[in-house]
Amino acid sequence: MAPCPHITTLGKLLRDTSRRYRLHEVFRDFCELTALSISNAVDTSQFEAREARYLDIIRRYQRSEVDAFPQMLGLLVQSLEARFHDALGALFMDLELGDHWKGQFFTPYELASFMARLTLGDVRPQVEARGFIAINEPACGAGAMVIACADAMLSQDVNYQQAMHVTAQDIDLTACHMAYIQLSLLH
């Protein structure tokens, strides 16, 4: 699949913003800031604590760097609006940010999509019998498998927003933020 121009631009913007900090730190901060923003928009129960954390992160950056973060989010949104894919996982791997000590390798979306379609099969009988499909993703990374399952269900005209229940976890907080962001933006 051809590289997404929005994600290519996002990668460039991340690199440009990482002149004073390591690229991994800027990527991590982008993901956490975005996750905090999305969460605060829909859940006010922890608003103050999240807002304090947001401000702790953002005050490390200069004004021009701060202005880059909303641009990065806009590029990510445009990318995910164009098609289902693991935009952040692909970007993470392209930027060579994986931690080999944790065994981090983000499954290419094309492979995740193939595996989801093969594993799920015809989802209609399962949804009719139980009302939903349950998916457990114990090493979710940026959410490629979950996104691929949603895409597979959608290709069968099944509304994944109503018929897919996911339990996803990961040992890396940045990966959790990546998955949270993409799954939130894809509803």
Side-chain angles (χ1 to χ4, degrees), residues 2 4 6 15 37 55 74 77 90 94 114 118 124 130 134 140 187:
C4 175
H6 302 298
R15 282 187 201 91
S37 296
L55 294 173
V77 168
D94 285 345
F114 173 75
L118 187 66
R124 286 191 180 281
R130 294 182 62 197
C140 68
H187 306 285

Side-chain angles (χ1 to χ4, degrees), residues 60-178:
R60 295 177 41 215
Y61 291 91
Q62 296 174 345
R63 185 68 210 172
S64 62
E65 296 165 335
V66 169
D67 292 342
F69 287 107
Q71 293 173 31
M72 292 178 206
L73 176 56
L75 290 163
L76 176 61
V77 168
Q78 288 177 305
S79 175
L80 292 173
E81 283 179 340
R83 62 182 160 89
F84 274 72
H85 66 126
D86 178 11
L88 290 176
L91 179 61
F92 190 85
M93 295 307 291
D94 285 345
L95 295 174
E96 298 179 355
L97 298 175
D99 182 342
H100 73 280
W101 297 109
K102 292 179 185 173
Q104 279 184 318
F105 176 79
F106 289 72
T107 305
Y109 186 73
E110 293 75 15
L111 179 57
S113 180
F114 173 75
M115 291 170 28
R117 292 174 198 283
L118 187 66
T119 304
L120 289 179
D122 183 6
V123 297
R124 286 191 180 281
Q126 298 172 64
V127 171
E128 288 171 7
R130 294 182 62 197
F132 64 94
I133 299 277
I135 297 171
N136 183 21
E137 178 54 287
C140 68
M145 283 303 303
V146 177
I147 295 167
C149 287
D151 194 15
M153 292 177 74
L154 191 60
S155 73
Q156 295 180 42
D157 293 323
V158 175
N159 185 339
Y160 64 89
Q161 296 169 336
Q162 296 175 348
M164 183 171 75
H165 178 335
V166 176
T167 302
Q169 57 262 135
D170 201 286
I171 62 170
D172 182 80
L173 185 57
T174 300
C176 291
H177 288 144
M178 292 163 65

